[in-house]
Amino acid sequence: MNVRKLVFIAVLFASCTKEESLEIIDNSGAVNVDKLKGTYTFINMQAHTEGTVEATDGTDTEKMVSISNYITKDNVGSVVIDAGKFTAIGMGYSVDTTVKGYFYVNGVLDDTFESDFQFSTPPLSSVAPYRLVGTDSLYFTGGIINAPSGGGGIATPESKARFAFSGDTLILYQGYNNKAITTQGGVRITQTDVATIITRLKKK
């Protein structure tokens, strides 16, 4: 068994520029749909990601953990928000980051690595119906913010987001958590992907 051959790095939005705080700014007061409505320029997306692949044959367990922190660059496109949906128009970005990896055998660190990763997505468009929940949360029945892998699009199934304004900048905060379990040749493989994602949009 060699988990190194089973692992792939699924990198979420972005590029490696200077790291920013992932704390969301608190809302200073009630926000309604009218304040959200408008046309926004896509500024960037920022993420902290952690992907884990663990393989066990019942005797030995091998695990690979990959971690990255990044912010998108070459950002293009806009988002139009009305009373019922977010419409992303020509949103694109590129990734140029470093992923750090840690390999464990039976719980003991065996190896570490760093790997450069580049990714770009052409301008894409998507519609995400939403509803406002309270004064600082959104519920998307189909989203424009997700964890892309490979060349996938930017639409997702239902998701939730917190939001806040900093001046004329709308900040959307999302968590991503996905777990999949498969079996290959008697080896049980568990893959878990977790991310914290922040999207910034500037109102025109």
Side-chain angles (χ1 to χ4, degrees):
M1 179 176 64
N2 191 337
V3 76
R4 290 177 175 88
K5 296 180 181 179
L6 300 172
V7 172
F8 66 90
I9 300 170
V11 175
L12 320 179
F13 298 117
S15 73
C16 187
T17 61
K18 71 175 183 177
E19 190 172 334
E20 299 179 13
S21 170
L22 285 174
E23 286 188 24
I24 191 166
I25 300 170
D26 289 335
N27 283 326
S28 58
V31 176
N32 56 30
V33 171
D34 287 337
K35 184 171 183 179
L36 282 172
K37 289 191 297 187
T39 299
Y40 297 78
T41 299
F42 172 47
I43 299 176
N44 62 34
M45 293 183 187
Q46 177 188 352
H48 168 80
T49 77
E50 182 170 329
T52 302
V53 176
E54 183 174 282
T56 180
D57 59 4
T59 301
D60 296 311
T61 299
E62 299 180 3
K63 180 172 71 173
M64 181 76 81
V65 179
S66 59
I67 297 173
S68 60
N69 293 279
Y70 42 83
I71 304 171
T72 52
K73 65 178 185 179
D74 302 323
N75 304 290
V76 297
S78 60
V79 176
V80 177
I81 303 175
D82 63 25
K85 64 182 182 298
F86 279 48
T87 302
I89 303 170
M91 283 181 62
Y93 51 87
S94 65
V95 172
D96 183 7
T97 191
T98 299
V99 178
K100 296 182 179 180
Y102 304 87
F103 180 70
Y104 299 84
V105 177
N106 295 326
V108 178
L109 182 64
D110 182 70
D111 195 11
T112 63
F113 72 88
E114 287 192 4
S115 177
D116 294 333
F117 185 83
Q118 291 81 37
F119 175 82
S120 63
T121 179
L124 300 171
S125 298
S126 175
V127 176
Y130 79 94
R131 68 173 184 265
L132 183 64
V133 181
T135 61
D136 68 350
S137 298
L138 300 170
Y139 179 80
F140 293 100
T141 55
I144 59 171
I145 304 170
N146 76 330
S149 59
I154 56 175
T156 68
E158 38 186 63
S159 60
K160 298 178 181 179
R162 288 182 58 213
F163 70 91
F165 279 93
S166 177
D168 59 359
T169 299
L170 173 62
I171 304 169
L172 298 171
Y173 171 97
Q174 280 190 298
Y176 175 83
N177 193 324
N178 186 62
K179 183 175 183 179
I181 300 174
T182 59
T183 301
Q184 297 181 21
V187 177
R188 178 185 172 92
I189 301 168
T190 303
Q191 179 171 339
T192 306
D193 295 300
V194 179
T196 301
I197 303 166
I198 289 178
T199 301
R200 293 177 175 86
L201 306 170
K202 185 177 179 65
K203 200 168 192 177
K204 294 184 178 180

